[in-house]
Amino acid sequence: MRLIVKNFLIVLALGLPASVPALAGPALLFDAADGKVLYAEEMDDQWHPASLTKIMTAYLTFKAIKAGKLSLTDKVVCSELAHKQPPSKIGLPIGGELTVELALQSLIVKSANDVAVMLAEKVAGSEAQFVADMNATARELGMTRTVFVNPNGLPEVNQVSTARDLAKLARAVTHEFPEYAEYWAMTQMRIGKIRLSSHNALLRTLDGADGLKTGFICDSGFNVVASATRDGRRLMAVVLGEPSGRDRNIRAASLLEHGFQQFGWKQLFNNQTVDNLPIASGARGPISVRATIQSWDCGNGKRNPAVTARKDKIKAAKEKKAKAAQKKQQKTNPPAKASSSANSAPVQAVQ
């Protein structure tokens, strides 16, 4: 009851609708500089992080570079295990290579599952050892309710985190490695002639947006750790379990907007941070929100209009090409005219 009342008061302080806590999954709004909590909603409930896992994969890669174990110009190789990862992926053949720099950008911008495994194998020698390092690092950062099973966030029932733990990770990666800030803010990247775009629409629509990462699997819903900086102040929002990408963007943007508008004297006496707030006694384990997700991939929802339009365009182009080829063939090889000779033998029907 105390947590509910606290959330209600924070909602009122931010000017958010009081009905928000009852309608959505975990959420957290905090000051990136000191971790001060501006809004918290079920922040200790465990949730499947999906591709937010890749923030930890990038963090460990940054640490390895800093330690001199590898450089941005080193190559990572696509192993059989990496090649077998399902999309989202770059799709390199076995033995294909990328520089560490391109691999990191692909991990963050494209959210490439195959590249996550490639980096894991490069940094730790094997995926299993890298996952062990991920969990050890999570303990060091105080991510007490987080367990990693793989480096990319693909569905695993035991792979869980919380909004609070992801906030700690986001603060660590941005504070310790500011030199990679541009990676988190990239809206697109190129590998050769191929252009890859970010799934984080907030980078294109929200004033001051500068990171970090989106995530989605059917059981988790649409997740995001979003950040924005205005007038030298950086706020971050963690939003988990939204039913669509659009809902995810709206909720994260609303939290950040209200945070910037309300941040000031109201927070002078707020000393609650992601580090000192006690874990809620009623914090829950992970649940699946598959039934609420608006995606055909999850067995329900609406078909993505952009995907449908793209498929229709490809189909129309193929039909147009086929008709043009048929027309060209008819001009090149016109049908033979029927003979008018009286001596022509009659055609016998085949029974």
Side-chain angles (χ1 to χ4, degrees):
M1 177 64 72
R2 192 181 309 158
L3 180 61
I4 294 174
V5 171
K6 183 193 298 179
N7 286 345
F8 182 79
L9 291 175
I10 296 175
V11 166
L12 292 181
L14 284 175
L16 296 171
S19 60
V20 169
L23 298 177
L28 178 61
L29 176 67
F30 61 99
D31 188 329
D34 54 15
K36 186 176 292 185
V37 174
L38 309 180
Y39 171 71
E41 178 183 340
E42 312 299 349
M43 69 175 177
D44 293 316
D45 281 8
Q46 288 180 318
W47 210 264
H48 298 300
S51 284
L52 300 185
T53 299
K54 296 182 177 91
I55 301 176
M56 177 62 87
T57 301
Y59 180 62
L60 287 183
T61 305
F62 296 154
K63 286 173 72 72
I65 294 171
K66 186 176 182 179
K69 295 179 180 179
L70 70 162
S71 70
L72 290 175
T73 57
D74 285 347
K75 298 293 181 65
V76 292
V77 181
C78 184
S79 65
E80 183 178 356
L81 177 61
H83 181 70
K84 291 193 298 186
Q85 301 302 302
S88 177
K89 62 192 296 183
I90 297 301
L92 290 176
I94 296 174
E97 296 181 335
L98 284 177
T99 63
V100 170
E101 182 172 27
L102 276 178
L104 280 166
Q105 292 175 5
S106 303
L107 180 81
I108 294 169
V109 177
K110 175 63 176 174
S111 199
N113 294 320
D114 50 355
V115 173
V117 174
M118 291 165 64
L119 284 169
E121 293 173 335
K122 179 69 173 181
V123 171
S126 69
E127 183 190 42
Q129 182 57 55
F130 189 82
V131 170
D133 294 344
M134 293 171 76
N135 287 309
T137 302
R139 299 290 83 80
E140 292 171 5
L141 294 176
M143 300 170 65
T144 58
R145 287 178 58 77
T146 292
V147 178
F148 293 112
V149 181
N150 62 50
N152 48 30
L154 284 169
E156 284 285 356
V157 66
N158 293 321
Q159 182 132 324
V160 294
S161 191
T162 68
R164 185 209 295 258
D165 284 358
L166 291 167
K168 292 180 179 181
L169 176 58
R171 289 192 68 222
V173 76
T174 53
H175 283 203
E176 293 180 35
F177 300 103
E179 64 267 35
Y180 300 106
E182 63 179 306
Y183 289 7
W184 303 109
M186 292 174 70
T187 58
Q188 62 181 26
M189 62 163 293
R190 285 186 178 275
I191 296 180
K193 296 182 179 180
I194 302 174
R195 185 177 67 180
L196 305 172
S197 297
S198 171
H199 299 288
N200 188 356
L202 293 175
L203 293 173
R204 295 180 287 271
T205 60
L206 180 67
D207 181 31
D210 50 18
L212 288 171
K213 187 79 187 69
T214 61
F216 167 77
I217 58 173
C218 293
D219 288 327
S220 75
F222 291 83
N223 304 335
V224 68
V225 176
S227 68
T229 303
R230 297 179 189 174
D231 299 324
R233 176 179 293 126
R234 190 178 199 185
L235 301 183
M236 291 184 175
V238 182
V239 170
L240 305 175
E242 290 300 304
S244 71
R246 180 176 180 273
D247 290 314
R248 170 181 65 192
N249 295 339
I250 290 174
R251 192 174 185 210
S254 297
L255 285 169
L256 290 166
E257 286 288 356
H258 282 286
F260 283 119
Q261 291 173 16
Q262 301 297 325
F263 196 92
W265 67 268
K266 292 181 181 179
Q267 298 302 326
L268 289 177
F269 305 102
N270 174 17
N271 296 315
Q272 297 177 327
T273 72
V274 294
D275 295 313
N276 66 23
L277 270 173
I279 294 178
S281 58
R284 300 177 299 172
I287 62 171
S288 172
V289 294
R290 178 182 292 265
T292 70
I293 302 306
Q294 298 173 18
S295 170
W296 285 103
D297 292 337
C298 303
N300 56 57
K302 299 179 180 179
R303 194 178 300 277
N304 187 323
V307 174
T308 301
R310 185 165 65 250
K311 288 182 177 180
D312 290 344
K313 186 176 180 179
I314 293 172
K315 182 179 179 181
K318 286 182 177 179
E319 290 176 350
K320 184 178 180 181
K321 186 177 180 180
K323 287 180 180 179
Q326 185 179 19
K327 190 174 182 180
K328 183 178 180 180
Q329 186 177 15
Q330 288 175 348
K331 288 182 178 181
T332 306
N333 302 306
K337 294 183 179 180
S339 174
S340 58
S341 171
N343 297 325
S344 297
V347 176
Q348 184 176 3
V350 178
Q351 300 297 324

